[in-house]
Amino acid sequence: MSANARKTAPLPDDIRARKGGVPIVSLTAYTTPMAQLMDAQCDFVLVGDSVGMVLHGLESTLGVTLDMMILHGRAVKRGLNHAMMVVDMPFGSYEESREQAFRNAARIMAETGAGAVKLEGGVGMAGTIAFLVGRGIPVMAHIGLTPQSINTLGGYKVQGRGAAGDALLGDARAVADAGAFAVVLEKVPAVLADRVTQDIAIPTIGIGASAGCDGQILVVDDMLGLFTAFKPKFVKRYATLGAQAEAAIAAYASEVRARAFPAPEHIFADTQPEALK
């Protein structure tokens, strides 16, 4: 094999095999340019239904449609050469029945080139996960705070505190036994996240969980400071690009109003320069 051969994207089994090893790196992406920026650094990239809030101005993820996820999945796929792509199944696309879940998951896989889908739910979704996995669709599970269930959870609250920790551990065991290759743990106490990570045989991907998880994920617009409507406690801002963009736009507006832009170097003469003739 050539030493210059391009690295192929990981498969779900490759992610599963990272259990207990070097932490798995992941971010969300919704567009081709952003996918290109993170491709070399991420093991997998999630096309999250958070796109509804981050890019479409929705108040929650509940208004995100299957067509939206496929559109953004296609865009992200064009920007990836090294990272595996996982696509969220949106609210209402898999809960009705296992057959509905399969039809919609198969459509996502076929139309986006995703390596896997992600769906929310623990014990209650274990049968659906097993149904999909048994028919060739790799599934990443998501338990703890499940944003599609905020109306029944009573908002964006920490999940699994106290006695509720045993139920969440049961969810983790159920999705692992059903065949999920990894599970996202969102907004759960660190001690519980560590307990789950030690208990199950598949990787845990933390978001507001614990540094002891097998990997981490953040919404990229949160960590870059592009989405500033609110900042969850678990988000670390690695940049303030939103503020920089706002300042740049203000400078542009000021120069346009002052007729300082475009300057001579940005406009074209009515004759071709001699050097180009």
Side-chain angles (χ1 to χ4, degrees), residues 144-226:
L145 174 64
T146 46
Q148 294 174 11
S149 302
I150 56 167
N151 290 330
T152 55
L153 294 176
Y156 297 95
K157 300 177 180 178
V158 175
Q159 302 295 307
R161 281 179 167 151
D166 288 338
L168 195 143
L169 179 58
D171 284 333
R173 289 171 175 169
V175 299
D177 291 344
F181 68 91
V183 58
V184 172
L185 304 180
E186 181 167 358
K187 211 166 183 180
V188 300
V191 171
L192 176 59
D194 289 341
R195 182 183 173 197
V196 170
T197 299
Q198 293 164 12
D199 185 86
I200 63 175
I202 62 174
T204 55
I205 309 298
I207 177 167
S210 166
C213 288
D214 296 297
Q216 300 293 328
I217 187 168
L218 283 176
V219 172
V220 70
D221 295 72
D222 284 342
M223 58 87 72
L224 290 178
L226 288 168

Side-chain angles (χ1 to χ4, degrees), residues 22-234:
V22 176
I24 298 162
V25 177
S26 178
L27 289 166
T28 64
Y30 320 110
T31 65
T32 304
M34 193 64 79
Q36 290 171 329
L37 290 174
M38 65 180 68
D39 182 38
Q41 301 298 329
C42 289
D43 299 298
F44 75 88
V45 168
L46 174 68
V47 185
D49 59 359
S50 50
V51 67
M53 302 167 77
V54 174
L55 293 190
H56 293 273
L58 301 178
E59 292 185 358
S60 73
T61 63
L62 299 181
V64 175
T65 67
L66 191 65
D67 286 340
M68 288 168 65
M69 295 307 304
I70 289 172
L71 175 69
H72 289 284
R74 287 172 170 171
V76 169
K77 185 63 175 178
R78 295 185 195 109
L80 299 180
N81 288 312
H82 304 290
M84 183 179 77
M85 184 175 77
V86 180
V87 178
D88 263 341
M89 297 194 71
F91 177 71
S93 69
Y94 60 93
E95 298 93 337
E96 181 180 340
S97 68
R98 299 172 184 182
E99 291 76 15
Q100 179 211 29
F102 176 77
R103 285 193 301 272
N104 290 328
R107 185 180 167 203
I108 289 173
M109 298 285 287
E111 296 186 27
T112 69
V117 298
K118 181 171 76 64
L119 57 82
E120 296 181 6
V123 171
M125 280 294 137
T128 297
I129 292 171
F131 190 86
L132 296 181
V133 172
R135 284 155 182 78
I137 297 178
V139 177
M140 178 176 289
H142 183 154
I143 62 173
L145 174 64
T146 46
Q148 294 174 11
S149 302
I150 56 167
N151 290 330
T152 55
L153 294 176
Y156 297 95
K157 300 177 180 178
V158 175
Q159 302 295 307
R161 281 179 167 151
D166 288 338
L168 195 143
L169 179 58
D171 284 333
R173 289 171 175 169
V175 299
D177 291 344
F181 68 91
V183 58
V184 172
L185 304 180
E186 181 167 358
K187 211 166 183 180
V188 300
V191 171
L192 176 59
D194 289 341
R195 182 183 173 197
V196 170
T197 299
Q198 293 164 12
D199 185 86
I200 63 175
I202 62 174
T204 55
I205 309 298
I207 177 167
S210 166
C213 288
D214 296 297
Q216 300 293 328
I217 187 168
L218 283 176
V219 172
V220 70
D221 295 72
D222 284 342
M223 58 87 72
L224 290 178
L226 288 168
F227 182 76
T228 57
F230 59 87
K231 178 183 174 293
K233 177 181 179 179
F234 56 76

